[in-house]
Structure formats: structure tokens, C-alpha cells
């Protein structure tokens, strides 16, 4: 009887668990359906207000307390958006913060609902029913998408008043549509998330069966402060909160199985932190995401490896004194050639910079290298190596040593210098050169010439890996430094490239035996290959056109309408065949500014103060209205209905009115009664893009309009 009762209880519990899982999944798809109409809401728009109304209704129906804040108390910025937050107590006071923007990203193409909001609301409902291991805070900020450095406004406003007494970590989700995987970004401006958080997220994703992408190279560029764009969670990292940014794989659609796994991932994050949120923060680490497993090399590993390496270097003369004397003697005898060889490769790289600058100039497309950064970098380096090989074949009067030990010893010496140089930039960068140094040592020990070739090829593996990551991300700032930097970029490449060229020359000597009649076979073969590669790259880059019917060439038309006239600045990244250049300025027929922006200025004076009421009535929906008050002397603001900030260099006051303002916007402020000045008002419109085809190729026109007005203030 007891066994039967236990079996029935087990069956019922399993049924309850399955039903709970089904309910969670059904809840997610229900949220996706209900939020479909809100997927394209923008900052401060009526759609955003409708979304907030739906969110509060759902929370109230589930008896979940929440808090809504607007931006009325912000000091140096403003938005018509709002921030909604929900706190769920856990077994620990440590807090895991889920950040989900309520606005859709400008580039979002999602029409299936808001997966960000739907998945967060599903996890919220789950943790409301099941007490999490750590406390949860669900943050839904508005005004996150906009021009840096002001944005994300919602995150900045939240962090202004948030101070966690217990350890806290942040997970920032920016998924725009169902995807087949996730991309993790862990770096901000000269800072990265701690190692334990990246490992926890990685293991939880693997347990849930969700593929993800992580670039250790991007994390390195973040620590070096050369990220092309900062992820939205960067303010959390700067404030001292561990944070990871999640984004979906582009142009992919996830099926129901992936969505189930994603919900499983979200709901299992609490149990992954059952021991609490660590307070340690290891910033100098290398996280290698491999298909089967992850390899993490921490700061302790780097330092220990470098200590062991240099101990081996110091012990080498004691244990192998004879070969050490041979290599040291060969390098010392021809030491005068070392700076000459370094100067030669630097000069050749300098010459290689000329074609990578000349080709974009001839095409009338200065930034075309950003489309094919690896090809331009390869053209520069192959040209330099080709000239370096010619140096050894054509310049006969330079006494290049025939002693093979010189080239092997010099290669090891330059690799040691590379380690010292890279360690001053970031200690994790030394891993790639330490690998090369180990195989360079094996290169000197191998008696067989084919084994030497194998060691030579293996020594470059990790350098090719980091170059592949840099140019496929692509890390444009780093790529631009390597391609265009005349001094420091070429000098860094020279130090890294020279030891491999020296090993190549050492291999060439192995095949240069007089009896075989095969002299300089390696350099000759390398010369022929490089010549073909340079020809191919030159033709490819010269004929490359990034635009087509599917991706038309952009044409930017920036119109400015003032009381003094109507002008349009026309520009394009590439040259325009119709005008023979990249930009053009034209004068258009004058249009009264009142057709787009009506203003009403009222002033009243009481005692020594002047109350100003400025009513703005734009036509249509401008993206932003800017109001700046200029005066000859420093302006004193007694009161204002909107936040403002003063320009430290000029006596100007900028009033922050927010984006997507309402049809009738009123600014009220109080100045001294004797204050003189001028209000400069600018309404900015972003008009819908459209396609034209004036010639053989179509153009995608992006048109902006700025309407400028001035209103003087004259004291009574």
C-alpha cells in the first residue's frame, strides 16, 4: 500500500512539473502575441506609453509590486520615456539584475513580438512563483538607444540613485527577434566583466543547449580601450557592477525548441548562483570559447607562465652551454645587422602603406578599406615581405651572414622583445607570442629540415587566429591602426613580423646546399607566391564595389532651413558619378520656417525676475527639438521646467527637452529681469529613406531636415 501511494505521489509530482513547464512556455508565447503591436515603439512615443500600460496591467493581475519613474528629476538630460522596475526577494540578499530595454532598437526588423520583453516577463513570473536563490531585480529602462556618450539615458538615470549594499551582477538583454544563438559581449571602456561571471554564463548556456559566440579578441580590445562601439551595459561596468551583454545572432530565426532552451537558461540562472555572487574581479584573463569546452587562462596563469618561461631562458645557458655559446656568438658577431633588419622591414611597411592609401583615394571612397580590412592589411604586409626578400637577393654588397645560427638566435631574441613589448599593453597578449617562442626553440632543436618547417608553421598559428578575429569582427579601430598608422602601427608590425622572416631565411639556408643545385629555393618560391598574391589583391581591391541593387549606395541629404535661406548638403561615402566628387552644397528655394515650426514667446516681469514661456508647435513629428540660450554674459537660471546644462566655454545654456517631443511643447524658465540674449531653436527631422536611380546604379537617399529659428529676449 505504501509503495502504491509513493508511486501515485511521484506520478502526480511529475505531472505537476510537466504542467508547470508547459504553462511557462505557453505564457511566453502569449506574451509574444500580446506585445506584437509594440515591437517598433520608440522613445517617448504613444506606443511606448501603451506598452507600459500593458506591462503594469499584467503585473497587477499577477499581484507583483512594481515601480515606475519618469525623468522629471534628471539634472543634465531629459526624456519623455519612463523606467519600470520589479524586485523579487530571494534566499540571499545578493542581487541579479535583468536589464531589458522597453524600446525597440532603431535597426530592429522584428515583427513577431518583443522577445526581450516577453522572455523577461516569463522569467519574472517564474521567479515570482519560485523563490530564487538570489534576489532578482527586473529593470525595464526607456531611452536606451541614441547617440553616445549621452545614451543610454535610462541606465544612467537608474545608476544615479542605485547603490547595492550586497554583491550585485547585471545581465543586459538586447535580443530583437528569436535567434539560433546568443552573442556575448563582456567588455566596456577599458574594463571587462569578471572571469567568474563569464564562466557561469558559459556553463549555464551549455547546460541549456544554447549555442553562443564569444570573442576573446573583442575582450582584449575592450581592455585596451579600442572598442568600436560600447555595449549598452558599459555604464554598469564603469559603476563597478559585473555585467554581460546578450545579443542574438543576426539574420537567423529560432524555432520553438530554441525558445524553450532560452527560457530554461533564464530560469536556471538563479540556481547557477546558489552560492551567492562573488566579490572578486579578475580582469586579466583569456577566455577561449571552443566547440567542446571552454579554456580559461587567468592572470595567475599568465604570470606563472612568464616566470617559468624566463627561468627556462636563464637556465638554458647553464644546461646547454655549448649551443647557447654558438647562438650567442653568431648573434653577437652580427649584432649590427639587427637594427638594420628592423629598419628595413619598417621602411618596407612604410612603402606598403602607400598603395593601401592610394587605392581608396583613386576610387573616391576614403573609407572603403573598412569593407575589406583584411585584404588591405594583407596587401600592405605582403608588399613589405616581398621587398624584404628582394633585399636579400638583389643587394649583394651587404654582408648577410651565411651562419644559420644567427637567424635562429635573432628570431628568438626578437620574440623575447615582443613578449616584453606586449606585456606593457596587456599581459594576455603575451600568450600568442609565448606560443611562437616555444616553437621557435623547437625550431632550433629539430635536426630535420622538414620538422623545422613544421615548427615554423605551427609558431604562427595563434597569431593567425588573433588576426582572423580582429579582421572578422571587425575591430575597425585596431584594423585602422595596423593599416594606416605610419609610426607606431608599422613599428609594432615590424617587431612581430621580423622573427618569422628570420626563421624563413634560416629554412632557406637548409635548401641552399651547393651539391643539390637548389639555391634560395624558399625565397624564390616565397617571392613568386607573394607576387601572385599582390597582383590578385590589387586587382580585387581596385575593382571592388560594395554597392548593388540589394545594397544601394547611400546618399545623405542634410537640409537646413533658416530665416536667411534654405541650403542642402549632399554627401556620400563613395564618389558620385553625376557630380564627380563625394559632396556638394546647393541653395534651394526659400521656405518660411513657420511652415515647419511655430513658436510663441511670452515674458512677464516681477521684481527682479523675468518669467519666460516658450511654446513650440512643430509640424509633423521631429525627432528632437533643441533650445539654446546665448548671451554675452554668464546666464543665471532661477527656475526651469526642463533640465539644463551650461557650456563651460561659452555663456550658453542648453535646455534638455528630450526626443520625440509632443505636438505642443512648453518650456518655462526664469531669468534675471535685466538678462539679454537669444533663443536658438532647432527642430530636427529624420525623413523616411527612399530609392532613386539617376544613372546605372540605384541610390538610397537618407534625408534630414533642420529648421532653425532665433527669438531675441529684450528686457523691459
Amino acid at each position: 500500500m505504501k509503495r502504491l501511494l509513493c508511486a501515485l505521489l511521484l506520478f502526480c509530482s511529475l505531472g505537476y512539473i510537466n504542467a508547470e513547464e508547459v504553462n511557462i512556455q505557453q505564457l511566453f508565447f502569449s506574451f509574444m502575441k500580446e506585445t506584437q503591436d509594440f515591437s517598433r515603439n520608440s522613445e517617448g512615443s504613444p506606443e511606448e506609453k501603451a506598452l507600459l500600460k500593458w506591462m503594469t496591467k499584467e503585473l497587477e493581475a499577477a499581484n507583483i509590486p512594481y515601480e515606475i519613474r519618469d525623468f522629471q528629476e534628471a539634472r543634465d538630460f531629459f526624456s519623455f520615456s519612463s523606467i519600470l522596475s520589479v524586485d523579487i526577494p530571494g534566499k540571499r540578499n545578493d542581487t541579479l539584475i535583468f536589464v531589458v530595454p522597453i524600446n525597440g532598437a532603431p535597426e530592429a526588423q522584428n515583427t513577431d513580438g518583443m522577445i526581450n520583453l516577453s522572455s523577461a516577463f516569463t522569467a519574472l513570473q517564474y521567479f515570482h512563483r519560485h523563490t530564487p536563490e538570489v534576489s532578482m531585480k527586473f529593470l525595464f529602462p526607456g531611452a536606451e538607444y541614441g547617440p553616445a556618450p549621452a545614451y543610454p539615458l535610462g541606465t544612467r538615470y537608474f545608476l544615479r540613485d542605485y547603490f547595492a549594499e550586497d554583491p550585485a551582477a547585471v545581465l543586459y538583454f538586447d535580443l530583437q527577434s528569436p535567434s539560433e544563438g546568443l552573442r556575448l559581449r563582456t567588455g566596456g571602456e577599458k574594463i571587462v566583466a569578471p572571469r567568474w561571471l563569464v564562466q557561469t554564463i558559459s556553463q549555464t548556456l551549455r547546460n541549456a543547449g544554447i549555442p553562443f559566440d564569444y570573442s576573446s579578441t573583442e575582450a582584449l580590445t575592450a581592455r585596451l580601450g579600442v572598442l568600436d562601439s560600447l555595449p549598452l551595459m558599459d555604464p554598469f561596468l564603469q559603476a563597478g557592477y559585473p555585467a554581460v551583454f546578450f545579443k542574438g545572432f543576426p539574420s537567423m530565426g529560432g524555432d520553438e525548441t530554441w525558445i524553450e532552451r532560452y527560457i530554461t537558461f533564464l530560469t536556471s540562472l538563479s540556481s547557477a548562483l546558489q552560492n551567492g555572487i562573488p566579490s572578486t574581479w579578475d580582469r586579466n584573463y583569456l577566455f577561449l570559447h571552443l566547440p567542446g569546452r571552454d579554456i580559461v587562462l587567468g592572470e595567475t596563469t599568465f604570470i606563472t607562465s612568464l616566470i617559468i618561461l624566463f627561468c627556462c631562458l636563464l637556465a638554458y645557458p647553464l644546461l646547454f652551454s655549448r649551443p647557447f655559446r654558438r647562438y650567442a656568438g653568431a648573434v653577437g658577431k652580427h649584432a649590427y645587422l639587427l637594427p638594420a633588419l628592423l629598419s628595413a622591414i619598417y621602411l618596407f611597411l612604410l612603402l606598403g602603406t602607400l598603395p593601401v592609401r592610394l587605392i581608396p583615394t583613386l576610387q573616391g571612397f576614403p573609407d572603403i578599406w573598412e569593407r575589406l580590412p583584411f585584404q588591405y592589411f594583407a596587401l600592405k604586409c605582403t608588399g613589405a615581405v616581398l621587398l624584404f626578400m628582394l633585399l636579400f637577393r638583389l643587394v649583394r654588397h651587404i654582408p648577410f651572414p651565411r651562419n644559420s645560427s644567427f637567424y635562429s638566435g635573432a628570431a628568438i631574441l626578437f620574440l623575447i622583445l615582443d613578449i616584453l613589448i606586449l606585456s606593457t599593453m596587456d599581459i594576455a597578449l603575451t600568450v600568442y607570442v609565448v606560443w611562437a617562442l616555444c616553437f621557435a626553440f623547437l625550431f632550433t632543436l629539430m635536426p630535420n629540415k622538414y620538422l623545422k618547417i613544421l615548427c615554423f608553421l605551427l609558431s604562427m598559428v595563434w597569431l593567425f587566429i588573433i588576426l582572423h578575429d580582429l579582421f572578422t569582427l571587425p575591430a575597425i579601430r585596431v584594423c585602422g591602426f595596423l593599416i594606416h598608422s605610419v609610426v607606431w602601427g608599422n613599428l609594432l608590425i615590424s617587431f612581430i613580423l621580423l622573427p618569422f622572416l628570420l626563421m624563413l631565411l634560416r629554412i632557406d639556408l637548409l635548401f641552399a646546399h651547393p651539391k643539390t643545385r637548389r639555391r634560395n629555393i624558399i625565397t624564390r618560391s616565397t617571392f613568386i607566391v607573394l607576387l601572385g598574391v599582390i597582383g590578385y589583391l590589387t586587382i580585387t581591391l581596385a575593382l571592388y564595389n560594395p554597392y548593388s541593387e540589394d545594397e544601394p549606395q547611400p546618399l545623405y541629404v542634410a537640409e537646413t532651413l533658416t530665416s536667411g535661406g534654405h541650403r542642402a548638403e549632399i554627401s556620400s561615402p563613395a564618389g558620385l558619378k553625376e557630380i564627380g566628387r563625394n559632396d556638394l552644397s546647393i541653395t534651394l528655394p526659400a521656405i518660411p520656417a513657420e511652415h515647419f515650426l511655430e513658436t510663441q514667446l511670452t515674458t512677464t516681469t516681477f521684481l527682479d525676475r523675468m518669467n519666460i514661456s516658450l511654446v513650440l508647435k512643430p509640424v509633423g513629428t521631429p525627432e528632437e527639438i533643441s533650445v539654446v540660450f546665448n548671451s554675452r554674459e554668464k546666464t543665471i537660471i532661477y527656475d526651469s521646467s526642463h533640465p539644463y546644462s551650461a557650456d563651460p566655454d561659452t555663456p550658453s545654456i542648453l535646455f534638455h527637452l528630450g526626443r520625440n517631443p509632443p505636438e505642443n511643447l512648453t518650456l518655462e524658465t526664469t531669468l534675471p529681469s535685466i538678462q539679454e540674449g537669444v533663443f536658438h531653436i532647432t527642430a530636427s527631422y529624420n525623413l523616411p529613406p527612399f530609392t532613386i536611380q539617376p544613372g546605372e546604379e540605384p541610390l538610397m537617399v537618407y534625408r534630414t531636415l533642420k529648421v532653425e529659428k532665433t527669438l531675441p529676449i529684450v528686457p523691459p
Side-chain angles (χ1 to χ4, degrees), residues 628-663:
V628 179
F629 183 76
N630 290 329
S631 63
R632 296 180 180 178
E633 300 177 353
K634 185 178 180 180
T635 303
I636 299 176
I637 303 292
Y638 292 119
D639 191 17
S640 176
S641 60
H642 286 74
Y644 61 91
S645 57
D647 189 337
D649 300 325
T650 62
S652 300
I653 300 295
L654 171 62
F655 293 91
H656 302 282
L657 304 182
R659 303 176 72 184
N660 301 316
E663 294 181 0

Side-chain angles (χ1 to χ4, degrees), residues 69-89:
R69 295 179 60 192
D70 55 28
F71 286 77
Q72 294 297 329
E73 297 180 1
R75 290 189 293 267
D76 56 348
F77 53 85
F78 180 77
S79 175
F80 292 99
S81 189
S82 301
I83 301 174
L84 186 147
S85 61
V86 178
D87 292 312
I88 297 179

Side-chain angles (χ1 to χ4, degrees), residues 337-583:
L337 282 177
L338 297 180
L341 293 174
L342 184 64
S343 301
I345 189 63
Y346 174 81
L347 176 63
F348 296 149
L349 285 169
L350 192 63
L351 295 175
T353 308
L354 298 179
V356 301
R357 291 187 174 186
L358 182 62
I359 293 175
T361 302
L362 295 177
Q363 290 179 318
F365 196 162
D367 297 330
I368 194 173
W369 66 270
E370 296 181 4
R371 300 295 189 108
L372 299 173
F374 177 74
Q375 285 81 346
Y376 277 90
F377 178 75
L379 178 62
K380 172 180 177 176
C381 292
T382 51
V385 174
L386 179 69
L387 293 174
F388 192 82
M389 293 299 174
L390 281 175
L391 178 69
F392 279 83
R393 288 188 53 80
L394 301 180
V395 184
R396 299 294 185 183
H397 62 276
I398 297 180
F400 290 115
R402 305 301 294 176
N403 186 349
S404 59
S405 298
F406 166 77
Y407 298 100
S408 299
I412 292 176
L413 177 61
F414 274 106
L415 286 174
I416 295 174
L417 291 176
D418 290 343
I419 292 175
L420 297 176
I421 293 172
L422 294 177
S423 64
T424 62
M425 301 168 61
D426 191 294
I427 194 170
L429 289 172
T430 59
V431 172
Y432 306 98
V433 185
V434 167
W435 171 278
L437 180 60
C438 293
F439 278 96
F441 266 110
L442 291 176
F443 177 87
T444 63
L445 299 176
M446 292 297 172
N448 186 281
K449 57 186 176 182
Y450 295 105
L451 291 178
K452 286 185 180 291
I453 294 176
L454 178 62
C455 290
F456 168 70
L457 295 175
L458 290 176
S459 67
M460 298 185 292
V461 168
W462 276 106
L463 289 176
F464 279 122
I465 290 175
I466 191 173
L467 285 175
H468 174 269
D469 289 347
L470 282 174
F471 288 97
T472 54
L473 278 173
I476 295 298
R477 289 179 63 182
V478 179
C479 296
F481 172 76
L482 295 176
I483 294 172
H484 296 293
S485 177
V486 174
V487 179
W488 297 111
N490 287 339
L491 193 60
L492 179 62
I493 298 174
S494 300
F495 271 98
I496 294 177
L497 190 60
L498 184 57
F500 300 101
L501 293 177
L502 293 172
M503 285 193 283
L504 184 63
L505 293 174
R506 170 67 181 93
I507 294 174
D508 185 59
L509 294 176
L510 293 173
F511 290 85
H513 198 279
K515 295 182 179 180
T516 61
R517 297 182 180 180
R518 295 179 298 178
R519 302 188 61 84
N520 305 107
I521 185 172
I522 298 298
T523 54
R524 289 181 181 180
S525 302
T526 304
F527 179 83
I528 295 173
V529 172
L530 292 177
L531 200 61
V533 170
I534 291 173
Y536 169 77
L537 289 174
T538 303
I539 295 174
T540 300
L541 296 177
L543 300 179
Y544 176 69
N545 182 10
Y547 302 122
S548 61
E549 292 185 1
D550 296 331
E551 186 183 357
Q553 178 177 340
L555 180 68
Y556 301 102
V557 180
E559 296 183 46
T560 303
L561 181 62
T562 66
S563 57
H566 185 191
R567 296 189 62 81
E569 303 290 337
I570 302 174
S571 62
S572 180
L576 297 170
K577 297 180 180 179
E578 290 74 17
I579 61 176
R581 54 183 180 177
N582 295 60
D583 51 51

Side-chain angles (χ1 to χ4, degrees), residues 135-148:
S135 299
M136 298 284 181
K137 176 181 281 291
F138 287 83
L139 185 67
F140 302 94
E144 290 289 272
Y145 302 102

Side-chain angles (χ1 to χ4, degrees), residues 106-322:
E107 70 276 6
Q109 301 295 324
N110 174 34
T111 58
D112 299 328
M114 301 183 70
I115 184 173
N116 240 11
L117 185 68
S118 302
S119 56
F121 254 63
T122 303
L124 192 156
Q125 293 273 13
Y126 176 85
F127 290 123
H128 177 64
R129 302 174 188 176
H130 307 81
T131 303
E133 297 292 334
V134 295
S135 299
M136 298 284 181
K137 176 181 281 291
F138 287 83
L139 185 67
F140 302 94
E144 290 289 272
Y145 302 102
Y151 283 76
L153 295 184
T155 294
R156 287 179 56 198
Y157 192 39
F158 168 77
L159 288 173
R160 193 192 72 171
D161 301 321
Y162 180 75
F163 302 96
E165 297 180 357
D166 297 287
V170 178
L171 305 180
Y172 199 115
F173 296 90
D174 190 28
L175 278 68
Q176 301 301 330
S177 62
S179 173
E180 291 184 358
L182 296 175
R183 182 190 175 198
L184 273 59
R185 297 189 66 182
T186 60
E189 182 65 22
K190 296 185 178 181
I191 191 172
V192 292
R195 181 178 65 177
W196 65 262
L197 181 58
V198 180
Q199 288 180 289
T200 301
I201 296 298
S202 170
Q203 190 58 49
T204 309
L205 286 170
R206 288 187 181 275
N207 294 340
I210 297 179
F212 67 97
D213 177 48
Y214 173 87
S215 174
S216 58
T217 304
E218 185 181 41
L220 284 173
T221 59
R223 288 206 296 268
L224 293 172
V226 289
L227 279 177
D228 296 329
S229 61
L230 296 176
L232 294 175
M233 54 71 176
D234 176 64
F236 287 101
L237 289 173
Q238 302 300 332
Y241 297 106
V244 172
F245 183 79
F246 295 85
K247 202 169 185 66
F249 287 164
S251 304
M252 291 185 179
D255 54 14
E256 292 188 8
T257 303
W258 181 87
I259 292 174
E260 293 173 6
R261 293 175 178 175
Y262 182 60
I263 297 300
T264 301
F265 161 68
L266 293 178
T267 54
S268 59
L269 285 169
S270 171
S271 57
L273 296 171
Q274 59 182 347
N275 295 324
I277 296 176
S279 57
T280 57
W281 199 316
D282 184 359
R283 291 173 170 83
N284 295 313
Y285 62 89
L286 191 64
F287 184 89
L288 303 175
H289 175 54
L290 305 177
R293 56 173 299 182
D294 297 322
I295 299 176
V296 184
L297 303 176
E299 185 175 12
T300 303
T301 305
F302 295 143
I303 296 175
T304 303
S305 301
L306 290 178
I307 291 175
I308 294 174
L309 174 65
F310 283 102
C311 287
C312 293
L313 292 176
L314 294 175
Y316 182 77
L318 301 176
L319 300 178
F320 304 96
S321 58
R322 185 175 179 181

